[in-house]
Amino acid sequence: MEDKNRDRIIEAAVKLFNYRGYKSVTMREIAKELGMSSKTFYNYFSSKEEIAEEVLLTLSRNIYDRIDDVKNSDTDPISKLKELLNLIKMELILINPLLIRDISLYVPKTRDKMLAEREKTTLILQDFIRQGQNMGLIKKNIDPKMAAYTYIDIFRTIVKPNGLRSYNYSIDQVLDFLIELFLNGICEKQ
């Protein structure tokens, strides 16, 4: 029962944090959302920071479990790259940029963990690029580190709240376009 309540709290926090951001949500509101007393709620989490950390770990865990599946698949590096880029896209679409901004501003310990997870993804992206270069599928003159960091930073810029307001494209459309543009730019002509 204890795990179920903890999971329910995390689920409610994901919903509220993702909709309104971290700063605007109180622990009392999360408890109210669940029909739970504050006293019961505090038995599971002692602070909003603790909930935020668990929320981001839960969201990240879902993505990173799938990234591990991609890493361990028997497909070629280009297919792995495309799948990884789509997972990054999904992560960025699922997590409201307002939540990421609030975490960065108000919960530095959790921000640092989030950045460490992001760094792992960047290293995996670099590894797939190197594998593709070794197989002759990706241009040799592409710097894997520069390509990975540039790509991730462009992705993050696009999903910021004001990133697409002046255009008539959805985030999904732009990120799909970016994936194709990136892969066409680094891959050898086949």
Side-chain angles (χ1 to χ4, degrees), residues 46-71:
S46 59
S47 68
K48 193 165 85 166
E49 291 83 5
E50 186 182 346
I51 296 171
E53 185 171 334
E54 194 62 38
V55 162
L56 284 175
L57 286 174
T58 299
L59 293 170
S60 292
R61 199 173 302 121
N62 294 337
I63 297 295
Y64 290 104
D65 285 348
R66 295 184 63 193
I67 288 174
D68 282 340
D69 292 342
V70 172
K71 281 174 48 179

Tab-separated table of all heavy atoms in Angstrom, residues 46-71:
chain	number	residue	atom	x	y	z
A	46	SER	N	9.025	14.474	2.607
A	46	SER	CA	9.204	15.515	3.619
A	46	SER	C	9.331	16.913	3.011
A	46	SER	O	9.229	17.898	3.727
A	46	SER	CB	10.437	15.208	4.472
A	46	SER	OG	11.588	15.145	3.654
A	47	SER	N	9.571	16.992	1.691
A	47	SER	CA	9.718	18.312	1.071
A	47	SER	C	9.323	18.270	-0.398
A	47	SER	O	9.316	17.200	-1.023
A	47	SER	CB	11.174	18.782	1.183
A	47	SER	OG	12.005	17.976	0.365
A	48	LYS	N	9.025	19.420	-0.920
A	48	LYS	CA	8.696	19.529	-2.334
A	48	LYS	C	9.918	19.213	-3.189
A	48	LYS	O	9.804	18.634	-4.270
A	48	LYS	CB	8.155	20.944	-2.628
A	48	LYS	CG	7.500	21.062	-3.983
A	48	LYS	CD	6.654	22.311	-4.124
A	48	LYS	CE	7.463	23.482	-4.541
A	48	LYS	NZ	6.650	24.628	-4.994
A	49	GLU	N	11.092	19.554	-2.693
A	49	GLU	CA	12.328	19.244	-3.414
A	49	GLU	C	12.487	17.739	-3.591
A	49	GLU	O	12.892	17.261	-4.654
A	49	GLU	CB	13.557	19.809	-2.681
A	49	GLU	CG	13.652	21.315	-2.684
A	49	GLU	CD	12.816	21.980	-1.579
A	49	GLU	OE1	12.224	21.255	-0.732
A	49	GLU	OE2	12.726	23.210	-1.575
A	50	GLU	N	12.157	16.996	-2.554
A	50	GLU	CA	12.246	15.534	-2.615
A	50	GLU	C	11.276	14.987	-3.674
A	50	GLU	O	11.624	14.077	-4.428
A	50	GLU	CB	11.921	14.947	-1.232
A	50	GLU	CG	12.109	13.459	-1.140
A	50	GLU	CD	11.729	12.924	0.241
A	50	GLU	OE1	11.578	13.708	1.205
A	50	GLU	OE2	11.572	11.698	0.339
A	51	ILE	N	10.089	15.566	-3.729
A	51	ILE	CA	9.112	15.141	-4.742
A	51	ILE	C	9.624	15.481	-6.134
A	51	ILE	O	9.558	14.662	-7.049
A	51	ILE	CB	7.736	15.804	-4.500
A	51	ILE	CG1	7.148	15.338	-3.179
A	51	ILE	CG2	6.777	15.475	-5.654
A	51	ILE	CD1	5.904	16.086	-2.761
A	52	ALA	N	10.165	16.690	-6.305
A	52	ALA	CA	10.677	17.112	-7.613
A	52	ALA	C	11.768	16.166	-8.090
A	52	ALA	O	11.798	15.777	-9.264
A	52	ALA	CB	11.208	18.535	-7.541
A	53	GLU	N	12.636	15.793	-7.188
A	53	GLU	CA	13.717	14.874	-7.553
A	53	GLU	C	13.144	13.533	-8.004
A	53	GLU	O	13.557	12.971	-9.018
A	53	GLU	CB	14.671	14.677	-6.379
A	53	GLU	CG	15.861	13.831	-6.732
A	53	GLU	CD	16.910	13.819	-5.631
A	53	GLU	OE1	16.990	14.771	-4.845
A	53	GLU	OE2	17.655	12.831	-5.583
A	54	GLU	N	12.174	13.037	-7.261
A	54	GLU	CA	11.558	11.753	-7.604
A	54	GLU	C	10.794	11.837	-8.922
A	54	GLU	O	10.822	10.910	-9.734
A	54	GLU	CB	10.630	11.302	-6.475
A	54	GLU	CG	10.210	9.871	-6.570
A	54	GLU	CD	11.369	8.881	-6.476
A	54	GLU	OE1	12.312	9.101	-5.701
A	54	GLU	OE2	11.320	7.871	-7.199
A	55	VAL	N	10.128	12.969	-9.165
A	55	VAL	CA	9.400	13.171	-10.422
A	55	VAL	C	10.370	13.109	-11.597
A	55	VAL	O	10.143	12.392	-12.575
A	55	VAL	CB	8.636	14.522	-10.406
A	55	VAL	CG1	8.243	14.961	-11.808
A	55	VAL	CG2	7.401	14.413	-9.516
A	56	LEU	N	11.459	13.857	-11.520
A	56	LEU	CA	12.414	13.866	-12.624
A	56	LEU	C	13.114	12.528	-12.788
A	56	LEU	O	13.357	12.082	-13.906
A	56	LEU	CB	13.424	14.994	-12.457
A	56	LEU	CG	12.844	16.364	-12.802
A	56	LEU	CD1	13.848	17.462	-12.515
A	56	LEU	CD2	12.406	16.437	-14.244
A	57	LEU	N	13.391	11.858	-11.679
A	57	LEU	CA	13.994	10.527	-11.774
A	57	LEU	C	13.041	9.545	-12.445
A	57	LEU	O	13.459	8.725	-13.269
A	57	LEU	CB	14.396	10.015	-10.392
A	57	LEU	CG	15.624	10.655	-9.773
A	57	LEU	CD1	15.832	10.154	-8.343
A	57	LEU	CD2	16.865	10.390	-10.604
A	58	THR	N	11.770	9.644	-12.126
A	58	THR	CA	10.762	8.765	-12.727
A	58	THR	C	10.665	9.027	-14.221
A	58	THR	O	10.679	8.089	-15.022
A	58	THR	CB	9.396	8.963	-12.049
A	58	THR	OG1	9.513	8.621	-10.666
A	58	THR	CG2	8.319	8.113	-12.693
A	59	LEU	N	10.566	10.301	-14.602
A	59	LEU	CA	10.481	10.641	-16.021
A	59	LEU	C	11.742	10.196	-16.761
A	59	LEU	O	11.672	9.625	-17.847
A	59	LEU	CB	10.252	12.146	-16.209
A	59	LEU	CG	8.914	12.686	-15.733
A	59	LEU	CD1	8.900	14.214	-15.747
A	59	LEU	CD2	7.770	12.143	-16.584
A	60	SER	N	12.893	10.447	-16.172
A	60	SER	CA	14.163	10.069	-16.793
A	60	SER	C	14.312	8.558	-16.878
A	60	SER	O	14.775	8.020	-17.885
A	60	SER	CB	15.336	10.641	-16.004
A	60	SER	OG	15.374	12.026	-16.113
A	61	ARG	N	13.931	7.872	-15.821
A	61	ARG	CA	14.063	6.407	-15.784
A	61	ARG	C	13.313	5.772	-16.950
A	61	ARG	O	13.811	4.844	-17.596
A	61	ARG	CB	13.526	5.871	-14.454
A	61	ARG	CG	14.000	4.491	-14.102
A	61	ARG	CD	13.585	4.067	-12.693
A	61	ARG	NE	14.061	4.968	-11.670
A	61	ARG	CZ	13.282	5.626	-10.807
A	61	ARG	NH1	11.977	5.469	-10.839
A	61	ARG	NH2	13.795	6.427	-9.895
A	62	ASN	N	12.115	6.290	-17.234
A	62	ASN	CA	11.322	5.756	-18.344
A	62	ASN	C	12.064	5.906	-19.666
A	62	ASN	O	12.091	4.990	-20.482
A	62	ASN	CB	9.961	6.448	-18.416
A	62	ASN	CG	9.096	6.134	-17.222
A	62	ASN	OD1	9.280	5.117	-16.556
A	62	ASN	ND2	8.151	6.997	-16.932
A	63	ILE	N	12.670	7.056	-19.874
A	63	ILE	CA	13.410	7.312	-21.109
A	63	ILE	C	14.686	6.471	-21.131
A	63	ILE	O	15.008	5.840	-22.139
A	63	ILE	CB	13.742	8.812	-21.256
A	63	ILE	CG1	12.463	9.653	-21.377
A	63	ILE	CG2	14.670	9.053	-22.433
A	63	ILE	CD1	11.641	9.408	-22.609
A	64	TYR	N	15.433	6.452	-20.035
A	64	TYR	CA	16.726	5.766	-20.029
A	64	TYR	C	16.601	4.252	-20.112
A	64	TYR	O	17.488	3.591	-20.632
A	64	TYR	CB	17.589	6.237	-18.857
A	64	TYR	CG	18.025	7.650	-19.114
A	64	TYR	CD1	17.427	8.715	-18.447
A	64	TYR	CD2	18.972	7.932	-20.087
A	64	TYR	CE1	17.782	10.020	-18.734
A	64	TYR	CE2	19.334	9.231	-20.377
A	64	TYR	CZ	18.737	10.267	-19.705
A	64	TYR	OH	19.080	11.551	-20.016
A	65	ASP	N	15.493	3.699	-19.643
A	65	ASP	CA	15.266	2.268	-19.845
A	65	ASP	C	15.146	1.981	-21.342
A	65	ASP	O	15.692	0.995	-21.846
A	65	ASP	CB	13.999	1.798	-19.126
A	65	ASP	CG	14.186	1.692	-17.620
A	65	ASP	OD1	15.342	1.767	-17.150
A	65	ASP	OD2	13.167	1.560	-16.917
A	66	ARG	N	14.473	2.858	-22.045
A	66	ARG	CA	14.314	2.679	-23.496
A	66	ARG	C	15.626	2.939	-24.226
A	66	ARG	O	15.918	2.299	-25.234
A	66	ARG	CB	13.190	3.567	-24.002
A	66	ARG	CG	11.847	3.099	-23.397
A	66	ARG	CD	10.661	3.818	-23.882
A	66	ARG	NE	10.472	3.619	-25.308
A	66	ARG	CZ	9.638	4.356	-26.012
A	66	ARG	NH1	8.946	5.309	-25.455
A	66	ARG	NH2	9.510	4.140	-27.308
A	67	ILE	N	16.422	3.875	-23.731
A	67	ILE	CA	17.728	4.136	-24.341
A	67	ILE	C	18.619	2.900	-24.204
A	67	ILE	O	19.332	2.534	-25.140
A	67	ILE	CB	18.388	5.390	-23.738
A	67	ILE	CG1	17.659	6.648	-24.218
A	67	ILE	CG2	19.871	5.461	-24.103
A	67	ILE	CD1	18.119	7.944	-23.576
A	68	ASP	N	18.551	2.239	-23.058
A	68	ASP	CA	19.323	1.003	-22.877
A	68	ASP	C	18.908	-0.050	-23.899
A	68	ASP	O	19.749	-0.776	-24.430
A	68	ASP	CB	19.166	0.454	-21.460
A	68	ASP	CG	20.014	1.211	-20.445
A	68	ASP	OD1	20.978	1.890	-20.854
A	68	ASP	OD2	19.704	1.115	-19.244
A	69	ASP	N	17.605	-0.130	-24.180
A	69	ASP	CA	17.129	-1.073	-25.193
A	69	ASP	C	17.736	-0.749	-26.562
A	69	ASP	O	18.130	-1.643	-27.302
A	69	ASP	CB	15.596	-1.054	-25.291
A	69	ASP	CG	14.921	-1.618	-24.052
A	69	ASP	OD1	15.589	-2.336	-23.268
A	69	ASP	OD2	13.716	-1.339	-23.861
A	70	VAL	N	17.811	0.549	-26.880
A	70	VAL	CA	18.394	0.979	-28.159
A	70	VAL	C	19.873	0.603	-28.191
A	70	VAL	O	20.366	0.052	-29.181
A	70	VAL	CB	18.210	2.495	-28.384
A	70	VAL	CG1	18.976	2.971	-29.609
A	70	VAL	CG2	16.740	2.849	-28.513
A	71	LYS	N	20.590	0.905	-27.113
A	71	LYS	CA	22.028	0.587	-27.046
A	71	LYS	C	22.284	-0.894	-27.267
A	71	LYS	O	23.256	-1.275	-27.916
A	71	LYS	CB	22.612	1.002	-25.694
A	71	LYS	CG	22.906	2.455	-25.552
A	71	LYS	CD	23.335	2.853	-24.162
A	71	LYS	CE	24.385	2.006	-23.531
A	71	LYS	NZ	24.781	2.446	-22.196
